[in-house]
Amino acid sequence: MAASRLIARLREHDWLAAAIELVIVVAGILIALQVSNWNQARLDRARADSYYRRIHSELLADRRNMDATLAFWSDVSAYGRAAIAYGETGQRAGDSNWKTVLAFYQASQTMPFVASDASFADMRSAGDLDLIADEHLRQQLEDYYSLSGVGGQSIIHEQDPAYRRQIRGLTPWPVQQYVWGHCFRESSYMAQQFVDCPSPVSEQAAAAILAGYRNSPELLNQLRTWMSTLRISEIVLTNSRRDAEHLAGEVAAARKR
């Protein structure tokens, strides 16, 4: 081995040969280190690409789920506006007591949204965030995934308005069962939709339910508060959707570098 030959040359005071052997030893060490570095860099690139692919997929899924959530919230808001119109002016939805009752009830529906952060969370817990070479992109992803429960973002993650609890306490149970069975469809959590449904009760019975709503002094105020909160939620989620779309493009570009 080169090291043993170097020692032998030193013992023999063969300085030229010792110098040559030293150069060989140092060169061998440097080459070994370089090969190790190249191999580690190759492994790091492969791990980074795996993370990029997973994060990109989750960002695209977030964008699709945000679209579904915003569409659902838009329908809830439309029901809420119809219910508020009745509470403030007496104008019935579709000139129907039943449709007005349905508007009050459907205005209580919620669909919280939380971003899919499994891949970025794995990356953070493994101490692999440095694999994102672009520091600006890394900070953007940190910001996108670190907003849960902070400021305006908290309202899209947790939705439990007082109006929801009160309207369900005021609506007869058979009517609620009918709404869930005939006026609402859900194939998955992010695939919920409202269905136009005929009345299960007479217009007179629906008028009695509306009278119960009117006689609940805080119901209309709670509905206004919920609709205001939902409007803010729509603004926040629309901004988050823009961020998800932008980041998906940035991550896709980072994979090509």
Side-chain angles (χ1 to χ4, degrees):
M1 294 180 62
S4 60
R5 289 198 302 272
L6 173 60
I7 294 172
R9 300 304 184 192
L10 290 173
R11 288 174 178 170
E12 295 168 1
H13 301 288
D14 187 347
W15 307 120
L16 178 60
I20 294 173
E21 295 292 350
L22 179 61
V23 169
I24 292 172
V25 170
V26 172
I29 293 172
L30 291 177
I31 291 172
L33 286 174
Q34 189 61 50
V35 169
S36 177
N37 289 338
W38 283 339
N39 187 56
Q40 186 59 51
R42 180 181 61 81
L43 293 175
D44 286 347
R45 283 194 298 272
R47 284 164 57 215
D49 187 67
S50 177
Y51 281 126
Y52 280 142
R53 283 189 291 105
R54 291 170 56 195
I55 290 173
H56 183 260
S57 177
E58 289 177 358
L59 286 168
L60 294 181
D62 278 353
R63 191 180 63 183
R64 290 191 300 271
N65 292 338
M66 287 174 183
D67 286 340
T69 301
L70 287 168
F72 186 84
W73 288 353
S74 178
D75 290 341
V76 172
S77 295
Y79 281 119
R81 288 192 298 271
I84 288 173
Y86 175 78
E88 293 180 343
T89 69
Q91 179 183 351
R92 297 180 302 164
D95 199 29
S96 162
N97 290 336
W98 163 247
K99 289 185 177 180
T100 307
V101 168
L102 188 62
F104 270 94
Y105 193 82
Q106 300 291 44
S108 73
Q109 306 289 9
T110 63
M111 183 191 286
F113 178 86
V114 179
S116 303
D117 66 345
S119 298
F120 193 77
D122 288 347
M123 202 173 192
R124 183 190 288 117
S125 64
D128 284 340
L129 291 182
D130 286 343
L131 293 177
I132 302 175
D134 185 331
E135 185 176 348
H136 182 59
L137 175 58
R138 184 165 65 244
Q139 186 58 56
Q140 285 182 301
L141 288 168
E142 283 271 22
D143 291 343
Y144 178 79
Y145 288 116
S146 298
L147 289 174
S148 177
V150 177
Q153 286 278 337
S154 62
I155 65 174
I156 70 174
H157 301 143
E158 298 179 8
Q159 294 184 338
D160 186 23
Y163 173 76
R164 175 185 175 91
R165 295 190 294 274
Q166 184 156 0
I167 196 68
R168 295 180 181 208
L170 292 170
T171 304
W173 181 236
V175 171
Q176 295 194 54
Q177 289 180 300
Y178 178 84
V179 170
W180 287 111
H182 299 84
C183 311
F184 185 84
R185 183 182 299 128
E186 179 179 16
S187 56
S188 68
Y189 182 69
M190 286 297 176
Q192 303 181 52
Q193 63 183 115
F194 298 105
V195 179
D196 190 22
C197 53
S199 176
V201 297
S202 67
E203 279 291 277
Q204 184 178 3
I209 297 172
L210 290 176
Y213 294 165
R214 285 197 307 271
N215 291 332
S216 179
E218 289 302 313
L219 185 65
L220 189 57
N221 288 339
Q222 290 172 348
L223 176 56
R224 292 192 192 100
T225 299
W226 166 228
M227 288 298 102
S228 177
T229 300
L230 193 58
R231 180 66 188 113
I232 297 171
S233 299
E234 290 172 339
I235 295 171
V236 171
L237 194 59
T238 298
N239 291 336
S240 293
R241 186 199 181 282
R242 179 201 61 208
D243 294 341
E245 186 168 18
H246 169 73
L247 283 170
E250 291 292 303
V251 170
R255 289 191 64 199
K256 298 176 181 178
R257 297 188 190 118

